[in-house]
Amino acid sequence: MVLRHLLVSLLIISLSNIHAQDFQFHSTFPFGIQLVDSTGERIVFKLMFIDRDQDGDQDLFLTSLGLGESEELDLTELTYNIEYQENIGTAKEPEFGQIAPAFDTLYIPFGYFYPSCGDLNGDGIPDFIAMAEEEYISEIQHLLFYISSGDTFDIKRDFDFDLNPIVPLSRLLPSLADLDADGDLDIVLCGTVTSDLADTTQEFRVLYAKNIGDKSNPEFLGWFNNPYDIVQDTSGEFIQMADIDLDGDMDAIS
């Protein structure tokens, strides 16, 4: 009887992991992804995969930082860009083409800029959100929304969605994910939050805004602190959301 219970327990454990993914190292710059250039004046700090051309495979947006020409780091020369590599391979055998500017014109503020992409309005065209300083080293960040409208973007800000602006001196990184599994994209921010300007003590925190609209018309309710028991380590983490174990819900990756 004990042996039978043990075998049943082992079977349950093995079945519970049957959909888990096994990751193996492939290469340093796989599938033609272009993270560096010969000049050393450009650094890619975020990759965003999404099917831009709606052909069934994942294309690639790269967020890069231009360092300028000075031998010493000059903050006034830093420039942020979004670049693009089309997947010219297949969904299972990706191969990314030559890197190019993602857009002919795109408003990118002069200061800090960190984006995330997803389809917020259900038109099949990637939209973006970004934490950004709209004045050089202003310490004031806004959450910007780039909502696709044909070949251009309608740019909105946090207050356009009745979201409280981020307290100055905070440093937060955004991601779009269907955290509550209701079919639309929610907003997750992680990083350091300043309580108020009178007390500049910073706390590591995860902020969440629930999408109470739908796939075509996003509306947000927030901010909620450390949702679903997602808590940052005290050393600080960049948390991304993805369905790693293929069970149909979002997991937190740091």
Side-chain angles (χ1 to χ4, degrees):
M1 179 67 71
V2 174
L3 178 59
R4 186 170 66 177
H5 286 176
L6 177 60
L7 291 175
V8 171
S9 299
L10 291 174
L11 178 61
I12 292 173
I13 292 172
S14 64
L15 289 176
S16 67
N17 292 318
I18 197 168
H19 294 296
Q21 300 188 68
D22 180 26
F23 294 95
Q24 296 181 350
F25 176 76
H26 182 282
S27 57
T28 305
F29 300 108
F31 313 119
I33 296 175
Q34 300 175 31
L35 298 182
V36 296
D37 59 19
S38 58
T39 66
E41 297 175 359
R42 164 186 165 274
I43 297 174
V44 172
F45 61 89
K46 183 168 185 183
L47 305 178
M48 298 176 285
F49 294 92
I50 194 168
D51 187 4
R52 183 186 193 182
D53 49 14
Q54 303 179 53
D55 63 351
D57 56 37
Q58 297 290 295
D59 305 299
L60 175 60
F61 288 103
L62 308 92
T63 307
S64 63
L65 177 64
L67 302 180
E69 298 180 355
S70 300
E71 292 185 3
E72 297 183 1
L73 180 62
D74 185 348
L75 295 179
T76 63
E77 293 187 1
L78 298 182
T79 56
Y80 292 85
N81 296 287
I82 297 181
E83 300 168 314
Y84 174 67
Q85 287 186 259
E86 180 185 353
N87 186 351
I88 56 177
T90 65
K92 293 187 177 181
E93 296 182 357
E95 181 66 29
F96 294 98
Q98 187 63 34
I99 197 166
F103 308 100
D104 293 334
T105 57
L106 182 70
Y107 168 68
I108 296 181
F110 186 65
Y112 172 86
F113 180 81
Y114 199 100
S116 180
C117 72
D119 186 4
L120 282 169
N121 58 358
D123 63 356
I125 302 173
D127 308 301
F128 295 85
I129 62 172
M131 291 302 304
E133 291 175 347
E134 295 201 81
E135 297 179 17
Y136 173 62
I137 312 299
S138 65
E139 303 294 353
I140 299 175
Q141 290 191 37
H142 284 291
L143 180 62
L144 302 183
F145 292 78
Y146 295 76
I147 309 296
S148 61
S149 177
D151 295 330
T152 61
F153 290 100
D154 293 330
I155 298 179
K156 301 180 182 294
R157 290 164 178 79
D158 34 29
F159 48 77
D160 293 317
F161 289 94
D162 295 325
L163 291 171
N164 290 331
I166 304 302
V167 177
L169 302 179
S170 300
R171 284 290 178 268
L172 293 164
L173 306 178
S175 60
L176 287 168
D178 185 6
L179 198 58
D180 52 8
D182 64 350
D184 52 37
L185 293 176
D186 309 299
I187 301 171
V188 181
L189 307 179
C190 69
T192 57
V193 176
T194 304
S195 299
D196 56 62
L197 291 179
D199 179 7
T200 58
T201 301
Q202 294 187 327
E203 300 177 356
F204 293 108
R205 198 178 300 173
V206 178
L207 300 181
Y208 167 59
K210 174 180 171 57
N211 190 343
I212 57 175
D214 54 40
K215 291 182 179 180
S216 301
N217 299 287
E219 299 178 28
F220 296 99
L221 179 65
W223 300 98
F224 300 99
N225 289 316
N226 301 326
Y228 305 106
D229 296 324
I230 302 174
V231 180
Q232 285 198 92
D233 184 86
T234 54
S235 61
E237 299 170 309
F238 176 36
I239 297 176
Q240 286 282 77
M241 311 303 299
D243 184 9
I244 288 295
D245 53 6
L246 302 178
D247 63 351
D249 56 30
M250 290 290 106
D251 306 300
I253 310 165
S254 65

